[in-house]
Amino acid sequence: MEKKKYFIITIDTEGDNLWEWKEGTALGTENADFLKRFQNLCNQYQFKPTWLANWEMVNDDRFVAFAKNCLEKKQCEVGMHLHAWNTPPFYELPREERSGLSYLIEYPEDVMREKIITMTNLIENRFGKKPVTHRAGRWGMNDTYFKLLHEQGYIADCSVTPYVDWRTSIGQTPGFAGPDYSKETSEISFRQGVTEIPVTILRTEKNGVLWLRPNRRNLKEMLYVIEKNYESEHDYLMFMLHSSELMPGGSPTFKTEGGIERLYEHLEVIFKEISRNYTGVGLEEYMMLHEYFADLQK
């Protein structure tokens, strides 16, 4: 009997164009008005996006109204995405002229814990359900972070990007760099009480690392990832995108309405292909389908 395969859509749900945002300037959330089209496309294929939402989006009434409506219809899930630099409580880290935005893992453990509690409580208050799934801002995880997530009842994380080294992505503290996942594999693992479900990334000799993540130019590569993942032992395929990439000008990748149309052309192609062999599930739902994950967490 052929093993069932699941398709997990994860959306980092965050403010507009954070790639170019500078601290001290206004942080927009206009992309909240552009999520419905994507959700409707997911509905068409009976896929269930997991909106991993951060501070500014969970405080945006438009996003909350949209997501609550989808939650009531069981069309989506909402998890937590944490950007440390604007999630209370505030704590001043050292910085230098070339500092980047902070990772949560740069802060003292007690500050990390309080920021996680703040985001968890906010999501629960806004949606009436405590989040149990998570992705770190800027992909930055360590054992302390996993431990603190477990303390707050989180069961799954999807921050690990196999074969990718983020050490060129600097933090705020002088000398601090992002995590190195270059030796990580795409195998599901159990870390400090939390199940790690890595992003689907394929490593090839010819093309390096290939993600299931649209960038306007990679339709063939995404179809290759889908094909190879289906042939593998993995029972899930994980797509990722940022909510702001669904809005013209919301990212460096999709700057125009034409760019957004190209995005949706590619989404139609890959979703149709994925629907042939995969069943759409939310990240939390995927966990619930696997009893052995639950057993590990006892």
Side-chain angles (χ1 to χ4, degrees):
M1 184 176 171
E2 194 169 357
K3 192 175 182 182
K4 195 161 187 178
K5 302 264 187 175
Y6 299 100
F7 180 44
I8 305 169
I9 295 173
T10 57
I11 305 293
D12 290 4
T13 309
E14 60 188 43
D16 305 337
N17 200 359
L18 295 187
W19 296 269
E20 298 175 8
W21 178 75
K22 303 296 181 188
E23 283 190 277
T25 61
L27 205 169
T29 52
E30 296 308 306
N31 74 82
D33 288 328
F34 291 81
L35 309 183
K36 188 174 181 181
R37 180 180 179 183
F38 182 80
Q39 180 70 55
N40 287 344
L41 180 63
C42 293
N43 296 346
Q44 180 183 328
Y45 289 95
Q46 295 183 295
F47 294 157
K48 184 184 287 188
T50 299
W51 300 96
L52 298 159
N54 79 346
W55 176 258
E56 63 266 19
M57 294 298 279
V58 182
N59 277 298
D60 186 293
D61 290 341
R62 294 168 298 180
F63 170 68
V64 173
F66 157 78
K68 284 179 81 169
N69 180 55
C70 297
L71 284 168
E72 287 167 7
K73 297 175 181 176
K74 294 182 167 47
Q75 295 171 335
C76 79
E77 291 180 3
V78 173
M80 193 253 279
H81 184 47
L82 199 158
H83 285 147
W85 58 83
N86 70 334
T87 300
F90 297 105
Y91 178 93
E92 192 58 44
L93 290 172
R95 66 169 67 236
E96 59 187 2
E97 191 175 335
R98 62 184 293 272
S99 286
L101 294 170
S102 61
Y103 291 89
L104 185 64
I105 55 178
E106 293 184 65
Y107 292 82
E109 183 174 334
D110 60 330
V111 179
M112 290 177 66
R113 178 182 289 107
E114 288 304 314
K115 286 178 180 284
I116 292 169
I117 290 171
T118 296
M119 268 307 305
T120 304
N121 290 344
L122 177 66
I123 293 172
E124 183 172 16
N125 291 339
R126 295 288 263 166
F127 292 101
K129 180 182 182 298
K130 192 171 183 178
V132 295
T133 59
H134 165 270
R135 174 175 287 144
R138 309 189 71 199
W139 310 102
M141 290 298 295
N142 64 13
D143 283 349
T144 301
Y145 200 159
F146 278 110
K147 181 189 76 170
L148 295 174
L149 287 175
H150 178 60
E151 279 182 14
Q152 299 307 318
Y154 287 84
I155 60 173
D157 174 73
C158 55
S159 304
V160 169
T161 55
Y163 319 119
V164 179
D165 184 352
W166 296 105
R167 285 179 295 179
T168 56
S169 299
I170 61 171
Q172 179 178 319
T173 311
F176 196 94
D180 179 9
Y181 296 132
S182 59
K183 292 183 172 58
E184 294 277 0
T185 71
S186 51
E187 298 302 316
I188 290 173
S189 58
F190 194 60
R191 309 186 188 201
Q192 306 296 320
V194 176
T195 301
E196 176 57 41
I197 305 174
V199 182
T200 296
I201 298 178
L202 196 65
R203 182 170 59 184
T204 68
E205 287 186 18
K206 182 180 178 182
N207 296 311
V209 294
L210 303 177
W211 300 49
L212 190 60
R213 173 182 179 179
N215 67 12
R216 292 198 327 272
R217 301 174 300 276
N218 65 336
L219 179 58
K220 286 183 179 178
E221 288 85 352
M222 289 193 294
L223 289 170
Y224 181 77
V225 171
I226 294 163
E227 177 190 356
K228 290 302 177 183
N229 190 82
Y230 181 67
E231 293 171 357
S232 76
E233 293 299 311
H234 300 302
D235 77 339
Y236 79 92
L237 176 69
M238 186 182 292
F239 169 98
M240 83 81 50
L241 200 67
H242 297 82
S243 63
S244 58
E245 292 180 282
L246 299 168
M247 177 182 83
S251 72
T253 312
F254 303 102
K255 294 182 177 181
T256 65
E257 290 185 9
I260 295 296
E261 293 311 310
R262 186 174 179 85
L263 167 64
Y264 275 97
E265 287 171 12
H266 289 184
L267 288 173
E268 289 271 8
V269 172
I270 65 170
F271 280 12
K272 184 175 182 180
E273 180 63 25
I274 291 165
S275 69
R276 293 173 57 231
N277 297 308
Y278 289 82
T279 300
V281 293
L283 190 56
E284 180 180 354
E285 184 180 7
Y286 178 77
M287 288 288 296
M288 296 302 103
L289 288 167
H290 290 72
E291 291 182 6
Y292 65 93
F293 293 156
D295 290 342
L296 280 171
Q297 289 171 328
K298 287 178 182 175

